[in-house]
Amino acid sequence: MNKLLNRRKILPFFSFILFSMHLSVMAQPANQTCANAAPLPCGATNLAGTTVNAAQGPVDPSGCASRYGVWYQFTGDGHLSTISSTASSSWDHEMVILSGTCGSLTNIVCRDNFASGGTESHSFPTVAGTTYYVYIAHYSASSTTTGTFTISRSCAPAPEIAQPGGANCSGAKAPTNHFSGKYVRSRN
């Protein structure tokens, strides 16, 4: 009788543990929607990411990648940003960079230069105050394949453009008007 009583106590306990483990394995990524995009700050290095168990979302605004992806976001500061993502060895991903607001995004670039396990990377100067989004998903827009990856973002001051005569243009000559007032037509 005592063994039977112990089995009745233990069986529900193990059933609860197995059910809990099943739920944790089935958890969807928190950043699977644009509105819940995870922050991607300057200096982020090899953040672990996954699209595994992502629900089907709206069509990628750029049309470059699968509907089973995840989102990251950051605000531009006028610096040069380099975003890199490296897929696991058995997954071929696409990295899409957009700007704007969720529901009204403008595509900047779609990156899919490598096969499974490859690294996608893009560098661009950001505009201060502009919100940017990074979408990671399988490279095929019709695919339901998901996988894992790492993502990084580095930032550096935007390169300065050399100005004639120095930064304040001292020493620059004013343009002269050599126009005589006559219209001349060139013939080929």
Side-chain angles (χ1 to χ4, degrees), residues 23-174:
L23 286 180
S24 67
V25 171
M26 299 300 289
Q28 295 175 332
N31 58 334
Q32 69 179 0
T33 63
C34 181
N36 291 328
L40 187 61
C42 283
T45 305
N46 294 325
L47 298 177
T50 184
T51 62
V52 175
N53 295 324
Q56 181 178 1
V59 173
D60 159 33
S62 64
C64 298
S66 166
R67 295 172 70 173
Y68 297 85
V70 292
W71 295 84
Y72 295 86
Q73 69 90 24
F74 64 93
T75 302
D77 56 7
H79 288 143
L80 183 69
S81 275
T82 299
I83 302 168
S84 301
S85 60
T86 302
S88 61
S89 63
S90 61
W91 191 52
D92 187 359
H93 74 305
E94 180 101 19
M95 180 176 74
V96 182
I97 302 173
L98 310 109
S99 65
T101 59
C102 295
S104 182
L105 294 168
T106 301
N107 185 37
I108 295 173
V109 69
C110 296
R111 283 285 185 242
D112 180 28
N113 298 326
F114 295 96
S116 296
T119 298
E120 310 299 345
S121 186
H122 185 68
S123 297
F124 63 103
T126 64
V127 175
T130 297
T131 302
Y132 295 92
Y133 291 89
V134 181
Y135 181 70
I136 305 288
H138 189 269
Y139 77 92
S140 173
S142 62
S143 177
T144 60
T145 303
T146 58
T148 59
F149 60 94
T150 60
I151 188 165
S152 302
R153 177 174 169 236
S154 63
C155 303
E160 291 187 29
I161 299 173
Q163 299 291 326
N168 63 5
C169 299
S170 62
K173 295 181 182 178

